[in-house]
Amino acid sequence: MKAIVYHKYGSPDVLKLEEVDMPTPTDDEILIKIHAVSINGSDREGLIGKPLYARLGGLRKPAYPILGSDIAGRVEMVGRNIREFQPGEEVFGEIPGYHGGFAEYACAPERTLAQKPASLTFEQAAAIPQGGVIALQGIREKGQVQPGQHVLINGAGGSAGTFAVQLAKLYGAEVTGVDNTGKMDFLRSLGADHVIDYTRQDFTKTGLQYDLILDVIAHRSAFAYPRALKRNGTYFCVGGSVATLFQVLLLGPWIKRTTGRNIRLLVVPQNRKDLLSVTELCEAGKVVPVIDRRYPLSQVPEALRYVAEGRAKGKVVITLERSVD
Ligand SMILES: NC(=O)c1ccc[n+]([C@@H]2O[C@H](COP(=O)([O-])OP(=O)(O)OC[C@H]3O[C@@H](n4cnc5c(N)ncnc54)[C@H](OP(=O)(O)O)[C@@H]3O)[C@@H](O)[C@H]2O)c1
């Protein structure tokens, strides 16, 4: 099969279209013929090998040569223990380990897949999983956003952020979106009440305070966040620099005792339940998977370059050449 392969961390230039062996499903896996795969921050991180957690299992060179985690396609073959899916069915979801999707075929277990709703195209379905599930956990499940609360999303114009802005609005919050200069109007169009350009202003130094901050791209000292939170407010760190993640993990309990603010990591396991919940909202038109651009598989390097240049507004989706959506 064709796949976009890389053997060293670096810029999109290290990615090459190659012929590789088809993956073989284990007894507990499903082989999927991919029709669409979307790009997430995890692909950008896995390509350059930064932050350090992107090198898990492969410190010097990538442990797995194919990036891409959010897929939609058709079941080609099922392992012996698979009960819920059959060949020919349309499915979508995440690949465990966040790799293997920039290819014509990939394997995944039942627990991270779901049947693709007929009302969504393969591209729309592929745009939902990782970002949608992170946003659902951060805003609704763990964040428990209530009407009238003030919510700030840092990294609001990317994969998880675009879902988070829409969900926070859906549950009645007053929403501030933080991203780069070129995405300000885009964030307003998603429903953000206020926008902050991270290249010009530091949201922890405005004097404003929020009930909930969802940060997909944390890089500050853990001591910076309490000043942007109301008493009993919560800061969730989803991704970002390893130094910040460690500080949040180690200092969070002490910061809570001394300031009354919650500073926490948000760990989001890949799972079908949340995937179905956020997809139902998409089917009902309450949340939209925002697709900025589409590229063919051969142009994954161009697609990742577009994302890395800070231009992508929402999702960039790779459409496999043969698929007709
Ligand atoms: N916690 C968990 O269990 C879990 C699970 C899965 C994934 N993750 C992590 O979650 C994160 C998800 O990110 P994503 O997919 O939403 O990423 P994304 O699509 O790359 O979006 C990130 C957004 O943040 C913006 N940004 C960059 N620097 C910024 C700054 N200094 N301040 C504010 N915004 C900034 C980016 O804009 P530019 O275009 O300007 O760069 C982009 O719009 C990744 O780090 C991933 O590894 C965590």
Side-chain angles (χ1 to χ4, degrees):
M1 68 169 185
K2 289 190 175 60
I4 295 289
V5 173
Y6 76 133
H7 299 290
K8 59 179 181 185
Y9 297 112
S11 73
D13 297 340
V14 303
L15 298 165
K16 301 280 177 260
L17 182 69
E18 288 181 8
E19 274 302 320
V20 299
D21 290 340
M22 292 251 302
T24 312
T26 65
D27 287 349
D28 298 311
E29 284 182 334
I30 295 149
L31 177 68
I32 300 137
K33 186 173 187 174
I34 298 173
H35 285 232
V37 48
S38 77
I39 293 180
N40 287 290
S42 54
D43 301 311
R44 180 154 79 154
E45 295 168 345
L47 175 62
I48 60 175
K50 282 187 202 153
L52 204 57
Y53 59 70
R55 295 188 184 226
L56 267 180
L59 203 56
R60 299 171 74 94
K61 64 182 189 107
Y64 198 88
I66 304 173
L67 291 164
S69 80
D70 288 10
I71 56 168
R74 210 175 277 279
V75 175
E76 182 77 7
M77 189 197 296
V78 299
R80 215 186 317 190
N81 300 332
I82 299 298
R83 298 283 171 266
E84 298 178 63
F85 298 96
Q86 289 175 2
E89 270 183 312
E90 295 180 351
V91 293
F92 74 118
E94 290 186 69
I95 307 176
Y98 309 107
H99 54 62
F102 294 155
E104 290 184 299
Y105 295 86
C107 291
E110 283 180 317
R111 68 183 164 79
T112 62
L113 294 177
Q115 285 177 345
K116 181 183 84 61
S119 61
L120 299 178
T121 65
F122 285 109
E123 295 175 349
Q124 289 169 327
I128 297 172
Q130 196 186 125
V133 169
I134 289 174
L136 189 82
Q137 280 286 324
I139 299 298
R140 191 177 85 179
E141 302 300 312
K142 299 274 168 41
Q144 301 197 342
V145 165
Q146 304 297 318
Q149 286 192 325
H150 291 89
V151 174
L152 181 139
I153 320 286
N154 193 42
S159 171
T162 48
F163 284 101
V165 170
Q166 295 180 72
L167 283 170
K169 284 303 296 177
L170 182 65
Y171 296 115
E174 186 168 331
V175 179
T176 300
V178 186
D179 214 299
N180 73 37
T181 319
K183 300 187 193 179
M184 299 292 97
D185 285 343
F186 170 62
L187 296 184
R188 286 190 196 96
S189 75
L190 288 176
D193 302 286
H194 314 282
V195 292
I196 295 177
D197 178 351
Y198 75 78
T199 67
R200 298 196 178 150
Q201 208 175 12
D202 180 338
F203 75 82
T204 67
K205 293 182 179 164
T206 59
L208 297 172
Q209 294 189 319
Y210 302 89
D211 296 288
L212 176 72
I213 296 173
L214 183 66
D215 193 352
V216 303
I217 189 132
H219 63 276
R220 294 173 174 82
S221 153
F223 295 109
Y225 301 111
R227 64 176 175 248
L229 283 175
K230 295 181 187 175
R231 192 160 185 84
N232 291 320
T234 299
Y235 166 85
F236 279 137
C237 172
V238 177
S241 90
V242 169
T244 303
L245 266 61
F246 268 117
Q247 281 187 23
V248 167
L249 190 65
L250 298 174
L251 300 174
W254 183 78
I255 290 174
K256 169 72 179 166
R257 275 199 304 280
T258 53
T259 71
R261 273 81 175 163
N262 304 294
I263 306 288
R264 295 190 185 144
L265 293 186
L266 181 69
V267 178
V268 184
Q270 298 170 308
N271 73 94
R272 187 195 296 166
K273 180 172 163 285
D274 288 338
L275 176 60
L276 288 174
S277 294
V278 71
T279 301
E280 270 171 30
L281 295 171
C282 294
E283 283 187 88
K286 294 181 175 166
V287 173
V288 177
V290 184
I291 299 175
D292 178 356
R293 283 195 178 183
R294 296 157 171 85
Y295 289 84
L297 182 65
S298 58
Q299 288 180 17
V300 167
E302 285 79 359
L304 273 160
R305 208 166 281 124
Y306 179 70
V307 172
E309 284 167 359
R311 293 159 67 200
K313 299 182 177 88
K315 301 290 302 195
V316 171
V317 176
I318 307 303
T319 304
L320 277 283
E321 282 86 335
R322 61 165 173 266
S323 75
V324 183
D325 278 325

